[in-house]
Amino acid sequence: MGKIFKQLARHWAACLAVVALLFVQAYCDLSLPDYTSRIVDTGIQQGGIESPLPETVRQSTLDALSLLMGEEDADALQNAYGYYLQDNGVLKLRSDLTDAERTALEEAVTTPDIVLYMAAAQNANATAGDEAEAMTATPAAEDLDAVCAQFAALAQMPGFSREMIQQQLASAMEQVDETTLSSMASQATLLVSLEYEAQGVSHDVQMAYLFRVGGQMLALTLLMVVVAVLVGLIASRVSASIGRELRRETFSSVIHFSNAEIENFSTASLITRTTNDIQQVQFTCVILLRMVAYAPILGIGGVMHVTQGNTGLAWIIVLDVAALLLLITVLMSVAMPRFKIMQTLVDKLNLVSREILTGVMPVRAFSRESFEEKRFDAASRELMGTQLFTNRAMVAMMPFMTLIMNGTSLLIVWFGGKAMDAGNMQVGEMIAFITYTMQIVMSFLMLAMVAVMLPRAGVAADRIDEVCRTKASIHDPDAATAKPALEKKDWDGVVRFEDVSFRFPGADSDALEHISFTANPGETTAIIGSTGCGKSSLLNLIPRFYDVTGGRVTIDGIDVREMPQEQLHSLLGYVPQKGILFSGTIESNLKFGGAQITDAGMKKAASIAQATEFIDAKPEGYASPIAQGGSNVSGGQKQRLSIARAIAKDPKIYLFDDSFSALDYKTDVTLRRALKEETDNATVIIVAQRISTVLHANQILVLDDGRLVGKGTHAQLMATCPEYQEIARSQLSQKELNLQDLNTGKEDE
């Protein structure tokens, strides 16, 4: 996991921007339930009335309320409306009131609102015999007018005293218990609603409130959408950048690996690491930014909103969180080990697939289709079994999560209903409480989903890091060591092996032992021997595909290990044993050696390599397409194009690793004759299996089991080297062995 966060740390500015945007998104998300509660409780149940202090009031209602207040409060209330008489005789609340003045008036008018509303309810239900029934009656505007008229008449009676009403009101309130008082407090706005109904503006007030709060909800929703889009955009760009950087680093490491490192990682594993593993890390980075960062913010915010309320249902959240943590812990402990195995099984499946597809022709030739199908099916079933186990474990999470969510909703409705019956909660508050609870559950669900992905992504990150941390065993020398090679301008191309020994990494014995020879410019040095004797290994020491374990290899007296690899390879024209072409065109393959190769040089190289005939036969000529791996040309054509590619580079040293094996004898002879004319000033080193390829070499090296057992011309070796004689007699007729025929250069085809 640390490696994934290390990648994210590279883009810390974008990650901070994402976190900041997620706080905005969470604020919007957590605010919406409060707005829903306000619309239900205030906008619908209370007719859009938020305050017990009406914005507009008739003089009769204002006078009735004033009679139920103390002298000082009554004067403040009258003063708040006194200067804003409207055309219809309705007084309007002053707009210049401070928040403190408004709050004081709301507190002062709450009890008069309740008393006046109860009086209107009693008037509406004149037959009610007790106060409880009167409280449940539904008064109308006419009832409020009647009560106001009664209070106005009462104020005109002789001996009326405001203090007497205050004393009676205080005495009545002392007899009311807290539960009843809490229930009565919600009726304060009912009087305001009744007053607006009498004015004929109740519908307008309600709609104005709904439009205002609904507009705020819409604005928050739009802001949340914009923020979510920005978060997705930034997270996607960050993850894509991480994927690009990982691919670049991984490929850069692999491209500089020597053969030893390449053999340490299988090709199938390297392909999986640079594709599937990086894709896994990239996808996880998106989820980390969009979900892991958001889930705690949303969950903690939801808990804070729930616990700040006075609903008494916070214990449900505690129970809910405990159940979710237990579920996630159990599922992770069951599924986690299998996730760590999955990537290894993917590697194994890719390895089997690559082997079968690469060797599909031998598979058919030996009628092994059914066997290979069973082998592939076994690898596929093993992966499928692991995936099924983990998927089933994760799928089981959803029903349990749903059970917890629905159980939580049931508990909230049950105990919330009791709280509403007791007057401690309103419908909108319960809706908001359920919404916050679902947000908390969803945040845990998001974390659980990420917890499923993190182990697999962690394994993928480790596998990628393993490739990036693997240092190439073959590297450039330091500047001081490389200085003589860098300062040298004119290279002759003299290759010298000085008591060279070589052992493959991890091997018990040397593959080459004490090899010494010199290959001079203008001469051809041929290396021949039985299969597995070390011919190709010897040739691979020159371009430093491997480094010697004893002795040294020099070019013009400079050790190849003391030369920058780019400079060393610029001197070499290498043709591998297996012709390798790259997707593109014939021209792009022949000019693979660099931009300095001209069209004339390309065509000359093709002519020397005897490739002109089949190139000209193609309708598009040098622009003819080459498929991946050169699969749309024959083996001989592929080999000739590989030879032409090396010739077009015009190097100082030619290295041919059994590069004429796919050519017929006639083409082989013609090509080598043309090559001899072209490479008069170059050093040519040829690894060959056929005697006919090396007959005219200036120097032939005979290898046997990693040792140099013969060195000289064909004639000298025929006279002194039994191993060479054995090879020659196995391949050449008696006529070809005749030195006179060799001098004429004729070969029996």
Side-chain angles (χ1 to χ4, degrees):
M1 274 306 301
K3 296 180 178 65
I4 296 178
F5 285 109
K6 181 181 177 181
Q7 295 297 328
L8 288 171
R10 294 182 177 182
H11 304 270
W12 61 269
C15 293
L16 287 178
V18 167
V19 172
L21 289 171
L22 288 177
F23 271 102
V24 176
Q25 183 179 350
Y27 171 79
C28 297
D29 212 351
L30 293 169
S31 298
L32 290 177
D34 286 336
Y35 280 91
T36 302
S37 175
R38 288 170 58 187
I39 284 181
V40 173
D41 293 339
T42 304
I44 296 175
Q45 290 187 323
Q46 296 178 192
I49 300 168
E50 302 177 88
S51 170
L53 188 66
E55 291 296 322
T56 59
V57 66
R58 295 173 299 165
Q59 185 65 56
S60 58
T61 305
L62 183 63
D63 292 341
L65 290 172
S66 299
L67 290 175
L68 298 171
M69 302 171 68
E71 190 72 35
E72 184 178 346
D73 290 335
D75 291 340
L77 184 65
Q78 290 284 347
N79 182 59
Y81 291 96
Y83 304 104
Y84 290 87
L85 181 64
Q86 299 185 135
D87 295 338
N88 57 1
V90 175
L91 299 171
K92 185 178 180 182
L93 187 67
R94 287 166 47 192
S95 59
D96 60 346
L97 292 176
T98 64
D99 292 339
E101 291 174 336
R102 191 180 187 93
T103 302
L105 287 173
E106 288 176 349
E107 293 175 356
V109 82
T110 297
T111 302
D113 278 347
I114 296 171
V115 173
L116 198 58
Y117 180 80
M118 291 174 60
Q122 285 180 332
N123 188 77
N125 193 357
T127 59
D130 57 74
E131 183 178 351
E133 291 183 5
M135 287 173 59
T136 60
T138 304
E142 294 79 6
D143 299 309
L144 177 61
D145 291 338
V147 170
C148 289
Q150 293 173 8
F151 272 95
L154 181 64
Q156 301 299 324
M157 294 179 61
F160 170 78
S161 172
R162 190 189 299 269
E163 288 75 13
M164 178 185 65
I165 295 179
Q166 292 295 313
Q167 291 175 0
Q168 293 177 351
L169 188 59
S171 176
M173 287 298 176
E174 289 177 358
Q175 300 176 7
V176 180
D177 57 52
E178 292 185 2
T179 302
T180 305
L181 187 62
S182 175
S183 177
M184 291 169 58
S186 63
Q187 296 180 349
T189 57
L190 296 178
L191 185 279
V192 180
S193 177
L194 204 59
E195 172 63 19
Y196 287 159
E197 182 181 344
Q199 297 176 26
V201 297
S202 59
H203 179 267
D204 295 336
V205 170
Q206 184 178 34
M207 294 308 297
Y209 180 85
L210 291 176
F211 277 121
R212 177 166 56 85
V213 177
Q216 293 172 348
M217 286 186 69
L218 179 60
L220 282 174
T221 304
L222 292 176
L223 177 60
M224 187 168 64
V225 169
V226 172
V227 170
V229 171
L230 287 175
V231 168
L233 178 63
I234 297 174
S236 298
R237 289 185 65 87
V238 169
S239 64
S241 298
I242 289 173
R244 181 194 63 218
E245 291 165 3
L246 286 177
R247 282 189 291 271
R248 181 189 296 138
E249 292 176 13
T250 306
F251 185 76
S252 178
S253 297
V254 172
I255 204 69
H256 289 96
F257 280 171
S258 67
N259 287 11
E261 287 78 44
I262 292 291
E263 291 168 2
N264 186 40
F265 301 97
S266 68
T267 304
S269 179
L270 286 173
I271 292 174
T272 304
R273 293 174 196 233
T274 54
T275 53
N276 182 271
D277 287 354
I278 291 178
Q279 186 178 10
Q280 187 73 29
V281 171
Q282 181 176 334
F283 180 67
T284 302
C285 288
V286 174
I287 300 300
L288 283 173
L289 289 174
R290 299 188 65 178
M291 295 178 65
V292 174
Y294 187 58
I297 299 173
L298 187 65
I300 294 172
V303 171
M304 291 176 61
H305 274 78
V306 167
T307 54
Q308 285 175 357
N310 297 320
T311 59
L313 303 181
W315 63 271
I316 297 178
I317 300 299
V318 176
L319 180 64
D320 186 31
V321 171
L324 289 170
L325 288 176
L326 178 63
L327 173 63
I328 293 172
T329 302
V330 171
L331 288 178
M332 288 302 101
S333 63
V334 171
M336 195 76 71
R338 296 299 183 97
F339 279 110
K340 296 180 179 179
I341 299 172
M342 193 177 298
Q343 289 302 103
T344 304
L345 296 179
V346 171
D347 270 357
K348 183 178 179 181
L349 182 64
N350 285 341
L351 176 62
V352 172
S353 302
R354 183 179 176 83
E355 285 183 347
I356 295 173
L357 294 174
T358 304
V360 66
M361 295 178 69
V363 169
R364 292 176 182 173
F366 285 87
S367 299
R368 299 288 285 178
E369 290 93 340
S370 59
F371 173 81
E372 296 297 343
E373 285 176 5
K374 291 177 182 177
R375 189 160 74 101
F376 178 82
D377 189 58
S380 180
R381 284 183 177 277
E382 189 176 6
L383 176 60
M384 181 189 73
T386 304
Q387 289 178 330
L388 280 176
F389 182 88
T390 54
N391 288 343
R392 284 167 180 165
M394 292 306 105
V395 166
M397 183 186 298
M398 288 307 299
F400 285 112
M401 283 281 187
T402 304
L403 178 63
I404 292 173
M405 292 171 66
N406 292 337
T408 302
S409 299
L410 183 62
L411 288 174
I412 293 171
V413 171
W414 178 266
F415 289 98
K418 290 182 176 295
M420 285 192 293
D421 185 56
N424 297 325
M425 178 182 280
Q426 292 182 293
V427 176
E429 288 180 316
M430 188 177 72
I431 294 174
F433 193 92
I434 293 175
T435 305
Y436 285 128
T437 305
M438 293 304 103
Q439 287 177 334
I440 295 170
V441 173
M442 289 304 297
S443 66
F444 275 90
L445 179 60
M446 286 189 285
L447 290 176
M449 291 173 60
V450 174
V452 171
M453 300 172 57
L454 286 182
R456 187 174 179 185
V459 172
D462 289 339
R463 285 157 50 86
I464 296 165
D465 189 60
E466 184 183 3
V467 175
C468 295
R469 283 188 296 105
T470 300
K471 301 299 182 183
S473 57
I474 295 176
H475 49 79
D476 287 344
D478 56 49
T481 304
K483 186 176 180 181
L486 291 171
E487 290 178 348
K488 187 175 177 60
K489 301 300 182 182
D490 297 322
W491 293 86
D492 297 323
V494 179
V495 178
R496 181 174 288 111
F497 276 59
E498 300 175 3
D499 195 30
V500 169
S501 296
F502 169 70
R503 179 178 298 186
F504 286 103
D508 297 328
S509 59
D510 288 340
L512 296 171
E513 300 178 21
H514 306 292
I515 306 295
S516 297
F517 69 90
T518 301
N520 293 310
E523 296 181 357
T524 298
T525 298
I527 306 171
I528 196 167
S530 59
T531 301
C533 68
K535 302 185 298 296
S536 294
S537 298
L538 186 149
L539 196 72
N540 287 337
L541 296 176
I542 301 173
R544 293 190 70 197
F545 294 158
Y546 294 102
D547 267 346
V548 299
T549 52
R552 66 176 193 155
V553 178
T554 66
I555 296 178
D556 290 356
I558 298 177
D559 195 321
V560 294
R561 291 171 294 184
E562 297 176 358
M563 301 172 61
Q565 293 181 70
E566 184 177 358
Q567 184 185 38
L568 170 63
H569 295 156
S570 69
L571 301 174
L572 306 177
Y574 175 71
V575 184
Q577 186 173 5
K578 181 182 178 182
I580 298 174
L581 299 180
F582 300 92
S583 56
T585 63
I586 292 176
E587 180 180 359
S588 67
N589 274 275
L590 295 186
K591 291 184 177 181
F592 193 74
Q596 78 280 1
I597 300 174
T598 62
D599 290 345
M602 172 189 69
K603 293 178 180 179
K604 181 180 179 181
S607 176
I608 295 170
Q610 308 303 303
T612 304
E613 183 178 352
F614 79 83
I615 294 175
D616 291 340
K618 293 179 176 293
E620 299 177 60
Y622 288 88
S624 300
I626 295 293
Q628 182 181 4
S631 59
N632 60 337
V633 294
S634 68
Q637 292 172 345
K638 189 185 301 184
Q639 207 164 60
R640 279 179 278 173
L641 289 174
S642 298
I643 295 169
R645 178 174 58 197
I647 295 171
K649 187 180 176 182
D650 192 22
K652 293 291 183 180
I653 302 166
Y654 288 90
L655 304 177
F656 296 100
D657 187 1
D658 198 14
S659 308
F660 307 97
S661 58
L663 305 180
D664 60 83
Y665 283 103
K666 180 180 179 182
T667 304
D668 185 1
V669 171
T670 307
L671 192 156
R672 283 188 288 107
R673 184 179 294 118
L675 184 63
K676 177 65 177 175
E677 296 173 358
E678 175 64 23
T679 60
D680 278 343
N681 297 321
T683 301
V684 179
I685 302 177
I686 299 175
V687 169
Q689 297 279 2
R690 297 195 310 217
I691 286 286
S692 60
T693 304
V694 303
L695 282 177
H696 299 289
N698 302 96
Q699 176 181 226
I700 302 174
L701 308 177
V702 184
L703 292 183
D704 183 40
D705 197 21
R707 292 175 291 107
L708 185 61
V709 297
K711 179 167 63 173
T713 63
H714 171 73
Q716 293 169 341
L717 292 173
M718 286 298 294
T720 60
C721 184
E723 289 84 358
Y724 185 79
Q725 292 170 11
E726 183 180 351
I727 297 172
R729 291 194 179 101
S730 68
Q731 296 185 25
L732 299 178
S733 66
Q734 191 63 37
K735 181 179 179 181
E736 289 172 317
L737 291 173
N738 190 296
L739 292 179
Q740 293 179 353
D741 288 341
L742 290 175
N743 290 332
T744 61
K746 296 180 180 179
E747 294 176 350
D748 184 6
E749 295 184 16

